[in-house]
PDB file of all heavy atoms in Angstrom:
ATOM      1  N   ILE A 678      38.032  92.565-159.931  1.00 98.00           N
ATOM      2  CA  ILE A 678      36.605  92.566-159.600  1.00 98.00           C
ATOM      3  C   ILE A 678      35.786  93.181-160.734  1.00 98.00           C
ATOM      4  O   ILE A 678      34.653  92.786-161.004  1.00 98.00           O
ATOM      5  CB  ILE A 678      36.358  93.286-158.250  1.00 98.00           C
ATOM      6  CG1 ILE A 678      35.058  92.797-157.598  1.00 98.00           C
ATOM      7  CG2 ILE A 678      36.334  94.776-158.383  1.00 98.00           C
ATOM      8  CD1 ILE A 678      35.173  91.455-156.936  1.00 98.00           C
ATOM      9  N   GLU A 679      36.367  94.157-161.451  1.00 98.00           N
ATOM     10  CA  GLU A 679      35.672  94.753-162.597  1.00 98.00           C
ATOM     11  C   GLU A 679      35.642  93.781-163.771  1.00 98.00           C
ATOM     12  O   GLU A 679      34.639  93.714-164.498  1.00 98.00           O
ATOM     13  CB  GLU A 679      36.355  96.059-162.990  1.00 98.00           C
ATOM     14  CG  GLU A 679      36.133  97.186-161.986  1.00 98.00           C
ATOM     15  CD  GLU A 679      37.007  98.397-162.257  1.00 98.00           C
ATOM     16  OE1 GLU A 679      37.474  98.549-163.408  1.00 98.00           O
ATOM     17  OE2 GLU A 679      37.247  99.176-161.309  1.00 98.00           O
ATOM     18  N   ALA A 680      36.722  93.032-163.962  1.00 98.00           N
ATOM     19  CA  ALA A 680      36.732  92.013-165.012  1.00 98.00           C
ATOM     20  C   ALA A 680      35.685  90.939-164.722  1.00 98.00           C
ATOM     21  O   ALA A 680      35.042  90.404-165.641  1.00 98.00           O
ATOM     22  CB  ALA A 680      38.120  91.387-165.123  1.00 98.00           C
ATOM     23  N   TYR A 681      35.488  90.627-163.467  1.00 98.00           N
ATOM     24  CA  TYR A 681      34.471  89.663-163.030  1.00 98.00           C
ATOM     25  C   TYR A 681      33.057  90.171-163.313  1.00 98.00           C
ATOM     26  O   TYR A 681      32.141  89.387-163.519  1.00 98.00           O
ATOM     27  CB  TYR A 681      34.695  89.405-161.549  1.00 98.00           C
ATOM     28  CG  TYR A 681      33.675  88.566-160.823  1.00 98.00           C
ATOM     29  CD1 TYR A 681      33.693  87.181-160.914  1.00 98.00           C
ATOM     30  CD2 TYR A 681      32.726  89.169-160.008  1.00 98.00           C
ATOM     31  CE1 TYR A 681      32.771  86.408-160.213  1.00 98.00           C
ATOM     32  CE2 TYR A 681      31.804  88.411-159.305  1.00 98.00           C
ATOM     33  CZ  TYR A 681      31.825  87.032-159.413  1.00 98.00           C
ATOM     34  OH  TYR A 681      30.912  86.275-158.710  1.00 98.00           O
ATOM     35  N   GLY A 682      32.896  91.514-163.315  1.00 98.00           N
ATOM     36  CA  GLY A 682      31.601  92.104-163.651  1.00 98.00           C
ATOM     37  C   GLY A 682      30.935  92.883-162.543  1.00 98.00           C
ATOM     38  O   GLY A 682      29.788  93.315-162.693  1.00 98.00           O
ATOM     39  N   SER A 683      31.644  93.093-161.418  1.00 98.00           N
ATOM     40  CA  SER A 683      31.043  93.825-160.299  1.00 98.00           C
ATOM     41  C   SER A 683      31.450  95.291-160.308  1.00 98.00           C
ATOM     42  O   SER A 683      32.627  95.609-160.520  1.00 98.00           O
ATOM     43  CB  SER A 683      31.462  93.208-158.965  1.00 98.00           C
ATOM     44  OG  SER A 683      30.961  93.976-157.878  1.00 98.00           O
ATOM     45  N   PRO A 684      30.498  96.195-160.043  1.00 98.00           N
ATOM     46  CA  PRO A 684      30.826  97.620-159.944  1.00 98.00           C
ATOM     47  C   PRO A 684      31.083  98.065-158.509  1.00 98.00           C
ATOM     48  O   PRO A 684      31.205  99.267-158.250  1.00 98.00           O
ATOM     49  CB  PRO A 684      29.551  98.286-160.469  1.00 98.00           C
ATOM     50  CG  PRO A 684      28.454  97.379-159.983  1.00 98.00           C
ATOM     51  CD  PRO A 684      29.035  95.973-159.997  1.00 98.00           C
ATOM     52  N   ASN A 685      31.143  97.119-157.577  1.00 98.00           N
ATOM     53  CA  ASN A 685      31.118  97.478-156.158  1.00 98.00           C
ATOM     54  C   ASN A 685      32.503  97.462-155.519  1.00 98.00           C
ATOM     55  O   ASN A 685      32.965  96.431-155.032  1.00 98.00           O
ATOM     56  CB  ASN A 685      30.155  96.551-155.411  1.00 98.00           C
ATOM     57  CG  ASN A 685      28.721  96.777-155.838  1.00 98.00           C
ATOM     58  OD1 ASN A 685      28.287  97.920-156.004  1.00 98.00           O
ATOM     59  ND2 ASN A 685      27.973  95.702-156.048  1.00 98.00           N
ATOM     60  N   GLU A 686      33.145  98.625-155.559  1.00 98.00           N
ATOM     61  CA  GLU A 686      34.439  98.841-154.917  1.00 98.00           C
ATOM     62  C   GLU A 686      34.298  99.977-153.916  1.00 98.00           C
ATOM     63  O   GLU A 686      33.691 101.007-154.224  1.00 98.00           O
ATOM     64  CB  GLU A 686      35.501  99.236-155.942  1.00 98.00           C
ATOM     65  CG  GLU A 686      35.663  98.265-157.088  1.00 98.00           C
ATOM     66  CD  GLU A 686      36.435  98.889-158.239  1.00 98.00           C
ATOM     67  OE1 GLU A 686      37.256  99.801-157.977  1.00 98.00           O
ATOM     68  OE2 GLU A 686      36.205  98.489-159.392  1.00 98.00           O
ATOM     69  N   CYS A 687      34.840  99.800-152.728  1.00 97.00           N
ATOM     70  CA  CYS A 687      34.725 100.866-151.727  1.00 97.00           C
ATOM     71  C   CYS A 687      36.024 100.996-150.945  1.00 97.00           C
ATOM     72  O   CYS A 687      36.860 100.090-150.934  1.00 97.00           O
ATOM     73  CB  CYS A 687      33.537 100.621-150.801  1.00 97.00           C
ATOM     74  SG  CYS A 687      33.541  99.007-150.015  1.00 97.00           S
ATOM     75  N   HIS A 688      36.162 102.130-150.266  1.00 96.00           N
ATOM     76  CA  HIS A 688      37.452 102.500-149.695  1.00 96.00           C
ATOM     77  C   HIS A 688      37.270 103.194-148.344  1.00 96.00           C
ATOM     78  O   HIS A 688      36.639 104.263-148.275  1.00 96.00           O
ATOM     79  CB  HIS A 688      38.188 103.452-150.642  1.00 96.00           C
ATOM     80  CG  HIS A 688      38.275 102.945-152.045  1.00 96.00           C
ATOM     81  ND1 HIS A 688      39.293 102.127-152.469  1.00 96.00           N
ATOM     82  CD2 HIS A 688      37.457 103.105-153.110  1.00 96.00           C
ATOM     83  CE1 HIS A 688      39.104 101.812-153.740  1.00 96.00           C
ATOM     84  NE2 HIS A 688      37.991 102.396-154.154  1.00 96.00           N
ATOM     85  N   PRO A 689      37.816 102.640-147.265  1.00 96.00           N
ATOM     86  CA  PRO A 689      37.780 103.352-145.981  1.00 96.00           C
ATOM     87  C   PRO A 689      38.429 104.729-146.047  1.00 96.00           C
ATOM     88  O   PRO A 689      38.038 105.633-145.300  1.00 96.00           O
ATOM     89  CB  PRO A 689      38.559 102.417-145.046  1.00 96.00           C
ATOM     90  CG  PRO A 689      38.451 101.076-145.678  1.00 96.00           C
ATOM     91  CD  PRO A 689      38.438 101.317-147.155  1.00 96.00           C
ATOM     92  N   SER A 690      39.417 104.904-146.913  1.00 96.00           N
ATOM     93  CA  SER A 690      40.077 106.212-147.028  1.00 96.00           C
ATOM     94  C   SER A 690      39.092 107.296-147.451  1.00 96.00           C
ATOM     95  O   SER A 690      39.279 108.473-147.120  1.00 96.00           O
ATOM     96  CB  SER A 690      41.230 106.147-148.027  1.00 96.00           C
ATOM     97  OG  SER A 690      40.759 105.726-149.297  1.00 96.00           O
TER      98      SER A 690
END
Side-chain angles (χ1 to χ4, degrees):
I678 205 77
E679 289 170 21
Y681 173 80
S683 176
N685 293 318
E686 305 164 27
C687 54
H688 309 273
S690 58

